[in-house]
Amino acid sequence: MSDGRFSFPACVIAGKRRLDVDDLLMLRKHAFSDGIRTEDDACLLLAIHRACASSCPQWDCYVIENIAAYAVHHRHPRGWLDKGNADWLTSTLSVEGVVHAPLELEIILHALDMAASAPDRLYAFALEQMRLGLIPNSRAAYALSRPSRSPGIDLADLHYLWRVLRSACEGGRLMLSAIERDLLQAIDAMAEPRHHHSGWNTLIGSLQLRPDVTRATGRTAWLQASDEAFLEKSHRAA
């Protein structure tokens, strides 16, 4: 991989117009007979996927499940995501803080589903992808996978939100870190309340910080930097 070339059977598969079930079976038999166990395995699988124009649902499921399982169960500490594992996921699957492929955003979500716990920053990163995807004319992964182009938060957006933050629900209330709260408020400000689903407006009106959060924070530097970089790149693309 370091010299940019694939060995067998990756060299046969990489660059195909469409990855199908036969390609998946070949790869599982000859390249990943023990599954995705190392960082090199994970990077090779992602490289093959990115080199092909399209893929079948079985292939997509394999990539999502195995990259997420590698991050959660085969990197130390096993069973949960620490800062190092969270940083590996975000740096591997994003460019300057933006995830561009829906499948790669799904890997992050699936890892959050699987992990016993994860850093607040990774949950915030997933919320930030939602915010970036709601920017008009966005080409971020969230925008590409979003069913509608509604200016406000709709039911599909609420499903995404609950998937990210379900572990923060305590006694029917969302107990958030300061950065999570700030991101939800930034998302809320992107459209008038009348454009938002009623469930969203109810949620925004009842946000609470976790008891361990002792001070409020303003708009964080990493969020501001991410926003500026995204808008600059979007402007150049236009």
Side-chain angles (χ1 to χ4, degrees):
M1 289 294 294
S2 61
D3 60 2
R5 293 178 295 180
F6 293 103
S7 59
F8 180 83
C11 62
V12 177
I13 299 171
K16 287 187 62 178
R17 185 170 183 82
R18 179 175 173 79
L19 292 165
D20 56 29
V21 174
D22 289 337
D23 298 319
L24 174 57
L25 293 175
M26 179 189 294
L27 202 66
R28 291 180 66 177
K29 179 179 180 180
H30 296 288
F32 304 128
S33 57
D34 295 325
I36 305 302
R37 301 284 175 168
T38 68
E39 185 170 326
D40 284 345
D41 287 343
C43 291
L44 174 59
L45 181 58
L46 281 171
I48 294 170
H49 176 77
R50 289 166 174 168
C52 300
S54 64
S55 51
C56 67
Q58 294 90 336
W59 172 275
D60 292 347
C61 287
Y62 180 80
V63 174
I64 292 166
E65 292 174 2
N66 281 273
I67 299 297
Y70 163 70
V72 176
H73 296 302
H74 297 293
R75 291 175 64 93
H76 293 285
R78 296 181 179 179
W80 58 286
L81 295 166
D82 65 359
K83 181 181 182 300
N85 292 339
D87 288 349
W88 179 83
L89 274 171
T90 56
S91 64
T92 301
L93 300 172
S94 69
V95 178
E96 295 180 2
V98 183
V99 181
H100 292 282
L103 178 141
E104 297 183 16
L105 179 57
E106 182 60 29
I107 292 173
I108 293 173
L109 295 176
H110 197 56
L112 287 173
D113 289 341
M114 297 173 68
S117 65
D120 289 342
R121 190 177 182 87
L122 188 58
Y123 293 105
F125 181 86
L127 292 178
E128 171 70 341
Q129 301 314 303
M130 178 180 177
R131 190 187 70 82
L132 292 173
L134 293 171
I135 294 174
N137 302 315
S138 170
R139 299 297 295 171
Y142 188 83
L144 297 178
S145 61
R146 191 174 183 235
S148 76
R149 287 289 179 174
S150 168
I153 303 304
D154 61 21
L155 189 58
D157 300 319
L158 284 173
H159 284 315
Y160 178 92
L161 176 71
W162 284 116
R163 186 175 178 187
V164 173
L165 292 180
R166 62 185 177 183
S167 64
C169 190
E170 299 177 9
R173 297 178 298 171
L174 272 180
M175 306 301 291
L176 303 173
S177 67
I179 193 170
E180 290 165 342
R181 179 209 55 190
D182 291 348
L183 273 164
L184 292 186
Q185 290 176 338
I187 291 169
D188 181 62
M190 298 180 76
E192 295 294 329
R194 61 190 174 88
H195 293 303
H196 294 318
H197 190 283
S198 59
W200 171 266
N201 291 328
T202 300
L203 180 149
I204 286 295
S206 61
L207 293 181
Q208 296 189 49
L209 291 180
R210 287 198 312 255
D212 61 329
V213 178
T214 57
R215 64 183 178 85
T217 60
R219 185 174 171 84
T220 58
W222 73 270
L223 172 58
Q224 193 169 33
S226 175
D227 204 23
E228 291 169 352
F230 178 78
L231 290 173
E232 181 181 352
K233 293 185 73 173
S234 297
H235 179 71
R236 289 202 302 266

